[in-house]
Amino acid sequence: MALNIKPSADRVVIEAAPAEEKTASGLYIPDTAKEKPQKGTVVAVGPGKYAEQTGNLIPMAYKVGDVVLYGKYAGTEISHEGKEYLIMRESDIFATL
């Protein structure tokens, strides 16, 4: 998938996983009660940020295609070409799955 958004510095663009439609017991969850997903796929990565003391580029720990976990209210929601994405700092990501 080619996304023509290029994040700056230590930012990543994430496509959030869809919210759960049913509970484990099979009950359907209404839209008003759905939890905001905390998992998604990295679709674009910035070049990294420069260290304040040395000026060296610190490369990103994540790459396109990584499935990651992030905070419930992390990032800024954006809409691009009809799809919803989150753009957030690398430090807002908790783990890779």
Side-chain angles (χ1 to χ4, degrees):
M1 173 169 129
L3 184 68
N4 59 0
I5 296 176
K6 296 195 185 323
S8 62
D10 64 337
R11 289 181 174 77
V12 296
V13 178
I14 295 177
E15 184 175 6
E20 293 292 323
E21 298 286 326
K22 289 196 301 186
T23 63
S25 61
L27 297 175
Y28 285 94
I29 303 170
D31 289 339
T32 55
K34 287 182 182 172
E35 291 279 329
K36 187 174 177 181
Q38 293 177 275
K39 176 174 130 179
T41 304
V42 176
V43 293
V45 179
K49 72 177 188 176
Y50 289 93
E52 290 181 22
Q53 294 179 343
T54 62
N56 294 337
L57 182 66
I58 301 170
M60 298 291 280
Y62 304 101
K63 62 186 180 310
V64 173
D66 285 349
V67 177
V68 295
L69 297 176
Y70 50 86
K72 186 175 274 193
Y73 301 105
T76 302
E77 294 177 356
I78 61 169
S79 180
H80 181 69
E81 297 179 353
K83 290 188 113 181
E84 299 294 321
Y85 299 100
L86 287 168
I87 187 164
M88 65 182 70
R89 292 191 178 276
E90 179 182 32
S91 60
D92 291 336
I93 298 174
F94 298 144
T96 303
L97 295 178

